[in-house]
Amino acid sequence: MKLIKTVDAVGHMICHDMTQIIVGVTKDARFRKGHIVQEEDIPILLSMGKEHLYVWEMQEGMLHEDEGAVILCQACENEHMEHGDIKEGKIELRATTDGILEIDTERLKKINSLGEVMIATIANHSVVHAGDTIAGMRVIPLSIAAEHMDEVASIASSLHPILTIKPFVITDCTILVTGSEVKKGLISDTFSPVVERKLKEYGIAVTNIVQTGDDQAFITESIKDAVASGASMVICTGGMSVDPDDRTPGAIKATGARIVSYGAPVLPGAMFLVSYLGDVPVLGLPGCVMYSARTAFDLFLPRIIAHIPLTAHDIAGVGEGGLCMKCSPCHFPNCSFGKGGH
Ligand SMILES: Nc1nc2c(c(=O)[nH]1)N[C@H]1C(S)=C(S)[C@@H](COP(=O)(O)OP(=O)(O)OC[C@H]3O[C@@H](n4cnc5c(N)ncnc54)[C@H](O)[C@@H]3O)O[C@H]1N2
Ligand code: MOO
């Protein structure tokens, strides 16, 4: 830091916020810490009574916080994202499409462990809409060693980006409603309307609904038929637990689908099943999906329809944060449900 005359300050960086007060008009930081003094700032500074200024002495090998913020931004920005202007040394990233945010949490943590820099994001696997802010980043001190920022760049510079937005790609779905009580007309189907409404949140059209009853072979054939006739996703409702008439998991398995997981560490939704027949997701939804506001289905659906291949490891990771608190009213997604260590 050095003291100089304001009239000589053009091109120098201000070391601290400088407040301007004009009665009835403003009381705010007129110049922020880190601002580089411009020619037109001189009369304003003099009118604020600042004949002298403390300015930053840039040293060889040091970067201004704004230059550091640009490097942090480059480490994160990817397709389907745009950045705003640098404000007070901070840059924010916004989504430019609807989709799901994927974070390389290990490398994000590595950068945040370097010290003197920070990147804050919304939760991994959040659903984002075009225009949503997804991350903000800045250098903590006013200037930072260029070498330090080289470390950021080297952590970021691998083929796999730190932040990715995957747009939703599945636009249609067939629903198979199991249960003899529904097929026989003993009760009316209140499950498929719930699923239809949840899919509609993502612009997915239900193109076919089949009431299959509890005949396992018929459920199996219905799944295969749906996939053969081009369904992008098949969802089976009910018949997912332990009763002798619960045939859905067996029926899905018999199609030859690759079962990723039958069961998820999520309540409600413990009996959720995810499988793929070829690359078509085939899901088994337990009865709670019809009854509860949000379940495992809501947690995994965004990834499934963005064609992010789900693994058993992904599903196992959702246990932390997998317990819905059943708030009334429901605040999802603004709650801990599904936000844990994955
Ligand atoms: N002893 C155990 N009991 C239960 C377990 C368990 O592990 N051991 N799991 C529980 C869990 S978790 C769930 S969730 C429920 C429901 O599982 P299912 O998917 O098997 O549900 P269903 O038995 O098929 O039906 C339950 C209930 O919902 C009605 N239903 C089903 N489909 C429709 C429909 N399309 N429209 C209207 N109503 C429907 C059905 O008639 C039953 O009344 O199991 C726990 N039990
Ligand atoms: O699949 Mo069930 O939720 O855990 O009630």
Side-chain angles (χ1 to χ4, degrees):
M1 222 163 45
K2 66 175 177 178
L3 188 66
I4 60 166
K5 285 185 173 172
T6 298
V7 288
D8 298 330
V10 173
H12 287 275
M13 191 200 300
I14 290 172
C15 286
H16 54 83
D17 288 357
M18 294 180 133
T19 304
Q20 183 181 41
I21 304 177
I22 304 173
V23 174
V25 180
T26 183
K27 179 193 172 297
D28 202 0
R30 183 67 181 77
F31 297 101
R32 296 275 181 194
K33 172 183 106 167
H35 176 74
I36 310 274
V37 178
Q38 309 294 312
E39 191 70 55
E40 60 270 25
D41 299 336
I42 303 294
I44 301 168
L45 284 162
L46 292 173
S47 79
M48 291 164 63
K50 314 289 180 196
E51 297 278 337
H52 297 85
L53 298 177
Y54 283 120
V55 292
W56 194 260
E57 273 185 293
M58 285 307 286
Q59 294 156 5
E60 190 70 13
M62 297 296 284
L63 299 177
H64 179 250
E65 61 172 355
D66 287 359
E67 297 173 284
V70 169
I71 294 168
L72 288 170
C73 183
Q74 286 163 349
C76 296
E77 190 167 1
N78 196 0
E79 57 174 342
H80 311 302
M81 298 175 201
E82 63 183 11
H83 62 264
D85 296 334
I86 303 180
K87 278 195 195 133
E88 300 156 27
K90 182 182 75 186
I91 302 188
E92 289 187 340
L93 279 180
R94 289 183 297 265
T96 56
T97 185
D98 293 358
I100 180 165
L101 176 67
E102 275 215 298
I103 303 171
D104 185 330
T105 48
E106 277 310 306
R107 281 192 301 144
L108 176 64
K109 203 168 177 181
K110 251 187 181 174
I111 292 178
N112 281 330
S113 300
L114 290 174
E116 300 200 333
V117 296
M118 57 76 60
I119 302 171
T121 70
I122 59 171
N124 196 11
H125 298 128
S126 291
V127 171
V128 301
H129 300 285
D132 287 354
T133 301
I134 58 164
M137 57 216 71
R138 69 175 312 144
V139 168
I140 310 288
L142 201 47
S143 64
I144 189 160
E147 267 183 12
H148 202 79
M149 294 313 298
D150 289 345
E151 283 191 65
V152 171
S154 75
I155 292 170
S157 71
S158 92
L159 291 177
H160 184 60
I162 289 179
L163 302 187
T164 314
I165 293 178
K166 298 257 172 73
F168 301 127
V169 289
I170 287 183
T171 54
D172 70 274
C173 177
T174 290
I175 300 178
L176 306 181
V177 179
T178 76
S180 56
E181 68 280 32
V182 182
K183 189 165 188 182
K184 285 181 184 160
L186 300 179
I187 59 168
S188 58
D189 171 27
T190 51
F191 207 148
S192 62
V194 171
V195 177
E196 207 161 0
R197 177 170 50 76
K198 286 178 182 284
L199 295 176
K200 208 171 161 198
E201 289 179 25
Y202 298 99
I204 298 170
V206 174
T207 45
N208 198 12
I209 299 177
V210 183
Q211 292 185 359
T212 62
D214 287 326
D215 183 297
Q216 184 165 320
F218 186 67
I219 301 170
T220 300
E221 282 318 303
S222 303
I223 296 168
K224 286 180 168 172
D225 284 352
V227 173
S229 36
S232 307
M233 178 162 70
V234 180
I235 290 180
C236 305
T237 67
M240 290 299 300
S241 63
V242 296
D243 296 337
D245 293 327
D246 287 343
R247 302 278 164 68
T248 308
I252 293 175
K253 194 156 183 247
T255 63
R258 182 174 59 84
I259 309 285
V260 176
S261 182
Y262 171 33
V266 180
L267 285 171
M271 320 297 263
F272 181 66
L273 185 151
V274 187
S275 72
Y276 291 90
L277 188 51
D279 64 352
V280 177
V282 178
L283 311 180
L285 304 189
C288 58
V289 174
M290 168 179 64
Y291 177 77
S292 306
R294 299 290 175 174
T295 66
F297 181 48
D298 300 277
L299 300 190
F300 295 115
L301 181 66
R303 274 181 261 186
I304 292 165
I305 63 175
H307 261 321
I308 298 171
L310 269 181
T311 64
H313 185 258
D314 295 329
I315 291 169
V318 186
E320 184 188 330
L323 180 69
C324 171
M325 294 193 293
K326 297 192 179 356
C327 306
S328 180
C330 173
H331 304 292
F332 182 82
N334 302 319
C335 63
S336 65
F337 189 46
K339 305 287 188 312
H342 61 292

